[in-house]
Structure formats: structure tokens, C-alpha cells
Amino acid sequence: MAFFKSLQSLKLSSNKPIQSKFEKTKTVDEYSLNTKSVEAKYKIERKLSLLIAACSFTMPMAIFGCSQEIKTTQNEASSISTQSQSQTVSNTPQKQELRVVYSKLGSLAVMRKQGTLEKSLAAKNFTVKWLEFAAGPQALEALNAGSLDIAATAESPPIFAQAAGIPLVYVATTPFNGKAVSFLVPKNSPIKSVADFKGKKISFQKASIAHYVLLKALQKEGLKLSDIKSLFLPPPDANVAFSQGGIDVWVIWEPYITRNVQKNLGRVLIDGQGLQDLGGFYTTSRKFAKEHPEIIKIFLEEFIKAEDWSQKNIDKLAELETGDVGIDVPTLKTIHSKAVYGLLPITDEVVKKQQQIADLWYAQGLLPKKVNVKDGVLTPEEYAAFTPDSIKSKK
């Protein structure tokens, strides 16, 4: 698909050494891995893993980073693109569809299960379709294909999407804390610190929050990505590989962290505290932002209500989620105890921090050109048209 073809041009879509467009030396010494072999080896186990998958990239609460596990395939999502592109005016008699990223955990799950967004959009003659993806990059590919209207990711996927020419715009951001992502090692691993990562097999979703915090952690120890053996496995495959001892370190988010610790398969070496600069982002296409600001506003208002309900009803939230994710209520309560809530506006300070992250990726030779984050920023007037007052007040 377009985004992943673009990722190939960014040297990010295969497990070959990544090389800067402007340098001849290798910048990432990735572990040699035959992706087809991995998929064949873990085919059955991956299906089981997908049953417990939940929430990317990747974001209704900062703890859940950027991953929503695959339920609707990219091809299925793309099949509705042509129809959606022909529906451009929200006050037309014909019903239109808002395509929103799917989550099994957190406030997006609350909205989906309670049907609040559908009720609020009925007056605008809109229905809602929830689409699930492996992680943030996959969701942004669907956004680019015209098959998704609202995406939720961590901070890095939009940067790589911008570098690939995807015309996304930043809608809102989320608070962050260092518990959004953790470094898991096997229970009896001799690894005691990041300094021990040199030469180790480390798995992470490329172009994700995991990729970013790993880079930051290595830098603190004077190491580079080329000092490790990178395994670019999506979370379900990495989950199986980790359980079978095929990974030395797994950089991942919830619910995988708590599940693997509870199963006594791994332990948290460190989390992302001191490594993360921003929370996640809700994004949309520039086309949708211009044509349907009132729909985006309704989505944000309903999301804020769901956030408030989730924060005040942790027990009920866990009960609501347990059937979908196959995780018991006490475990879900433990996961939610690490969460932060809320939405924040896109301010100059947010854009500045996002630009610093983009510049870091470029300095690593992982982007072929400098990304101007402002290309994905709307005018103050455009933000005012869809940003609820409760978010504006947090500037």
C-alpha cells in the first residue's frame, strides 16, 4: 500500500540495514530476519495472540501508546474508500460514514460500546464505522488511502507519515507519562541495564513510540541503533517470539506489559520515564478537516465525556472491556491505574516539541528529508471551528 511503499523509500520497510540518503555508512545494523519464516513459524500462535490484542501505536490514554490490533484488514478498509470520497457535504440527505480507529481499551472502547458517538452524529446524518489496525503506521496508511477519518497514534508515526507525503493534520494531543511503554526482558535474563543492549536482539514496531524511546534510551548510554540487532515485528508476532525466547528485549505497551509479567514470562527492565517528550496525537486528513469540522468537534466532545466517565468508573470500565480483550477485571484495573487522561490542543509548544522529534529522526538518517511539522498544522481559525472549549482552555 501507499504508506508502506513510501516507508520502503524511507528505508524502513524491510529488515535490511537502513542507510541515510546523504551518507554511505549504515545507520542501523538490523538483525537478519526472514519475515516470511517468522510468520510461518508463529502462524497459529499469532492467531491466538490477536485474540487478546488491544489498543497502538496506538491513545485515548497515554499508556496505550499507538497500537490497535487488526480486526479489519487494510484491503477491507480500502474497499470503502471510493464511496467515502464521494460523500463530502455533511448536510446532504444521503447518510455518510465516519471511520474511526478501533480500540478495545480505554475511552474509545467506551464510546464504541456505549454508542454515544453514533447517537450524537445521527442528527448530522452520519453513521460510525470502527476500524482496527496493528499499530499507528498502519492506521495512517488507511488515512492516506481515504479509508479512515480519525486516527490515534503516538508521536512518531505522524512524522514518518508526513515524510511519506501523507496529507494528515494534527487534531489534538494527549498528556503523557513514562509508563506508556516499557522495556521487557525474559524473567531470567542477565540484562540489567540499557548498557547491556549492545549486540542483543531487540524487537519493536518500527516508526512507533517504541522505536523512539529505544533510540532515546540508547543515546543516554552512548549507544546507537546500529549497536543492536533490530527485529521489526508487529506486536502479535513479537508476543509469540518473546514467549518462546526468541527476543532479548521487547519494547512494547499495554496490555502486553502486564500480561507477560503476570504470566511470569518477563520483567520490566525500565519504562519510558524520562524518554518521552509528548503524548499521542489524534489526526485526520486535511480534506476531512476542511469539509467536516463539525463532525470532528462532535467526536472530540464525545471523547471528552468518555474520558471523564472512564476516570470516574475504573471498575465499570474494566468490566466493559474484559469480554473483548480476554483479560480479567483485576488485571485491567492494574493497567488503568497507570493511565493518564484528557485531550490537549495543538499549540506552538506542542508543534515545537514534535519538530524536535522529527529532527532527531532525520539526524539518525531515518528520514530522506527534513519534515516540517507545521505542514500538518491548521490555522487558528480552523482549529477554533472544531476544538471544544474544554480543550481550548488547557492552552
Side-chain angles (χ1 to χ4, degrees):
M1 287 181 280
F3 187 29
F4 293 109
K5 289 179 180 178
S6 299
L7 284 179
Q8 289 179 339
S9 71
L10 300 184
K11 311 298 183 184
L12 283 173
S13 62
S14 66
N15 288 332
K16 297 178 180 178
I18 296 175
Q19 184 169 318
S20 169
K21 183 178 180 181
F22 305 108
E23 299 178 16
K24 298 299 183 182
T25 59
K26 295 178 181 177
T27 58
V28 178
D29 181 16
E30 298 180 7
Y31 182 62
S32 177
L33 177 69
N34 186 309
T35 303
K36 291 183 179 179
S37 296
V38 171
E39 291 178 351
K41 181 178 180 180
Y42 303 126
K43 184 177 180 182
I44 296 176
E45 293 92 336
R46 185 178 187 276
K47 289 181 179 178
L48 294 175
S49 177
L50 280 168
L51 294 177
I52 65 166
C55 213
S56 129
F57 182 292
T58 59
M59 292 313 308
M61 296 179 289
I63 185 171
F64 299 126
C66 62
S67 173
Q68 289 82 27
E69 299 311 323
I70 296 175
K71 180 177 181 181
T72 302
T73 66
Q74 301 294 324
N75 287 337
E76 288 172 331
S78 297
S79 69
I80 61 174
S81 175
T82 303
Q83 178 184 354
S84 66
Q85 290 173 359
S86 68
Q87 300 170 336
T88 57
V89 182
S90 61
N91 60 357
T92 57
Q94 183 181 2
K95 276 192 176 295
Q96 298 180 70
E97 193 172 62
L98 174 68
R99 287 79 51 87
V100 183
V101 71
Y102 180 107
S103 176
K104 293 178 180 177
L105 291 174
S107 300
L108 282 175
V110 171
M111 293 170 68
R112 177 175 56 82
K113 298 282 277 189
Q114 295 182 344
T116 53
L117 183 59
E118 286 84 348
K119 293 174 185 176
S120 294
L121 287 178
K124 296 292 183 179
N125 213 27
F126 264 77
T127 59
V128 180
K129 186 176 184 66
W130 300 88
L131 299 173
E132 194 172 3
F133 302 91
Q138 290 90 335
L140 294 180
E141 159 63 15
L143 192 76
N144 185 49
S147 303
L148 185 69
D149 301 313
I150 303 289
T153 70
E155 77 291 304
S156 292
I159 291 170
F160 285 91
Q162 285 188 274
I166 293 179
L168 63 77
V169 293
Y170 296 89
V171 172
T173 187
T174 67
F176 72 94
N177 62 26
K179 298 177 181 179
V181 63
S182 291
F183 293 69
L184 282 181
V185 296
K187 178 188 175 184
N188 298 319
S189 171
I191 295 174
K192 296 182 179 179
S193 71
V194 176
D196 298 327
F197 284 6
K198 190 169 184 177
K200 296 297 189 295
K201 293 178 290 185
I202 303 181
S203 179
F204 53 95
Q205 168 73 50
K206 56 179 105 168
S208 72
I209 184 175
H211 197 166
Y212 178 69
V213 297
L214 172 61
L215 173 60
K216 296 281 285 186
L218 292 172
Q219 286 184 328
K220 281 193 171 185
E221 295 294 333
L223 298 174
K224 301 177 182 178
L225 285 169
S226 57
D227 291 321
I228 67 170
K229 297 174 181 177
S230 299
L231 299 179
F232 288 158
L233 292 175
D237 288 340
N239 190 47
V240 174
F242 184 80
S243 70
Q244 296 183 356
I247 295 173
D248 295 315
V249 182
W250 184 18
V251 192
I252 191 58
W253 43 79
E254 294 288 5
Y256 296 101
I257 299 168
T258 299
R259 293 281 291 187
N260 278 275
V261 170
Q262 286 190 337
K263 290 180 178 179
N264 215 23
L265 294 173
R267 58 182 171 85
V268 174
L269 184 70
I270 60 170
D271 59 28
Q273 294 185 86
L275 302 174
Q276 199 177 351
D277 299 298
L278 283 174
F281 286 102
Y282 281 88
T283 55
T284 188
S285 67
R286 185 168 291 276
K287 180 177 183 292
F288 194 84
K290 287 183 176 295
E291 295 176 351
H292 302 296
E294 78 285 6
I295 301 302
I296 297 175
K297 186 173 185 178
I298 291 173
F299 167 80
L300 293 175
E301 289 172 342
E302 290 302 327
F303 183 85
I304 292 169
K305 293 176 185 176
E307 286 274 273
D308 184 62
W309 185 90
S310 298
Q311 192 169 11
K312 294 176 180 177
N313 298 276
I314 297 297
D315 289 348
K316 292 181 180 179
L317 173 61
E319 291 170 1
L320 179 146
E321 298 165 330
T322 185
D324 282 350
V325 297
I327 300 175
D328 61 85
V329 170
T331 299
L332 286 170
K333 290 172 66 176
T334 298
I335 291 172
H336 289 305
S337 69
K338 307 173 187 176
V340 293
Y341 296 85
L343 288 177
L344 302 171
I346 304 299
T347 63
D348 290 341
E349 183 62 22
V350 169
V351 174
K352 179 181 176 181
K353 288 182 178 180
Q354 183 74 338
Q355 186 64 56
Q356 290 171 347
I357 296 171
D359 292 342
L360 175 62
W361 284 120
Y362 176 71
Q364 292 293 312
L366 297 177
L367 296 176
K369 63 180 181 179
K370 282 195 172 184
V371 167
N372 185 357
V373 172
K374 288 184 178 179
D375 290 342
V377 177
L378 297 168
T379 66
E381 293 75 19
E382 287 173 314
Y383 278 118
F386 64 67
T387 304
D389 291 338
S390 60
I391 298 179
K392 294 177 185 176
S393 64
K394 296 179 181 179
K395 287 186 178 181

